[in-house]
Amino acid sequence: MAAGTVSLETLVAWLLRFTRLVTENRGYLTELDSAIGDADHGSNMARGMTAVMEKIAATPSTAIDALFKQVGMTLVSSVGGASGPLYGTFFLRFGTTAGAVTELDGAALAAALRAGLGGIVARGKAELGDKTMFDAMSPAIDAFDSELASGAEIAASAAVAFAAAERGRDATKPLVARKGRASYLGDRSAGHLDPGATSTALLFQALSEGLA
Ligand code: ADP
Ligand code: MG
């Protein structure tokens, strides 16, 4: 395999790490969601990703678009909360943009991530500072792009993206939510991390660790 590419197997390893991380952090994500939502984000993500891994094991895909179509459809159908359709659309668009291939180079991975973010925006209309998963994902993808553009390897770029996702997550704490269930609380949503931004930081942690 050429240097500087990510294989379908590595992308499956990314999904598996994400599943492990949301499962390990199920209680924490739910605790965050109990402060500004309805206390289900941890169970939504753990249940959804467990269903994804079962689906992948039962019907393995031979191309990246087919793999992420399975992932996205499973999340949309198995998670009741907002996060199911949002992460589901992220993975569906990721797959469509990646295409019927078995590996991605850095630019193709960046384009797939960017398209996934576009799917979240198309569905949820979030902007920077609305206190959502967008606040972790958008800076992470920007950082990934600029590291790659400066000549860094994919794994190193993913590590920088993870750090940016964590900063984006932390920056949601003082914000007043303008989208989703937390926005019903108005000013009372300030002072708490956004649960979806926290799970998105785990998504980039999984990517970084999966590529390292
Ligand atoms: P629900 O809010 O339906 O209970 P979850 O608790 O699983 O669903 O997910 C909540 C997370 O979804 C929030 O923390 C936020 O990050 C994200 N979210 C909610 N609405 C939007 C939106 N319109 N755009 C982007 N992300 C959103
Ligand atoms: Mg919730």
Side-chain angles (χ1 to χ4, degrees):
M1 188 190 295
T5 64
V6 175
S7 67
L8 186 147
E9 290 71 25
T10 302
L11 294 169
V12 171
W14 170 35
L15 296 168
L16 179 60
R17 275 175 186 272
F18 184 47
T19 305
R20 288 205 186 121
L21 286 169
V22 293
T23 303
E24 284 163 16
N25 289 280
R26 176 204 300 248
Y28 176 56
L29 293 171
T30 287
E31 186 188 312
L32 294 176
D33 196 32
S34 73
I36 60 169
D38 57 351
D40 65 356
H41 189 58
S43 46
N44 282 343
M45 295 307 298
R47 186 178 66 252
M49 288 307 298
T50 300
V52 163
M53 295 319 296
E54 283 166 3
K55 188 63 160 265
I56 290 176
T59 0
S61 298
T62 53
I64 294 173
D65 59 348
L67 168 67
F68 284 94
K69 186 172 181 186
Q70 271 185 326
V71 175
M73 306 265 285
T74 304
L75 284 176
V76 171
S77 63
S78 65
V79 179
S83 58
L86 290 164
Y87 275 110
T89 305
F90 169 83
F91 286 120
L92 285 170
R93 296 265 185 116
F94 180 100
T96 316
T97 299
V101 295
T102 56
E103 61 179 36
L104 302 175
D105 64 14
L109 177 59
L113 290 168
R114 179 70 62 188
L117 176 65
I120 289 175
V121 173
R123 270 215 178 233
K125 313 278 181 279
E127 295 173 11
L128 199 65
D130 283 350
K131 196 180 180 98
T132 72
M133 56 179 71
F134 182 97
D135 289 341
M137 194 178 291
S138 174
I141 295 175
D142 287 348
F144 187 72
D145 285 353
S146 59
E147 277 304 294
L148 275 182
S150 75
E153 293 288 329
I154 300 178
S157 303
V160 172
F162 169 37
E166 290 195 306
R167 286 194 301 276
R169 171 201 66 199
D170 293 346
T172 64
K173 190 162 185 177
L175 298 174
V176 172
R178 288 193 295 245
K179 288 286 183 306
R181 211 177 272 283
S183 66
Y184 308 157
L185 289 179
D187 291 347
R188 281 182 294 137
S189 63
H192 305 278
L193 287 178
D194 177 60
T198 305
S199 59
T200 290
L202 297 176
L203 181 70
F204 283 88
Q205 179 177 349
L207 184 66
S208 172
E209 291 174 356
L211 295 180

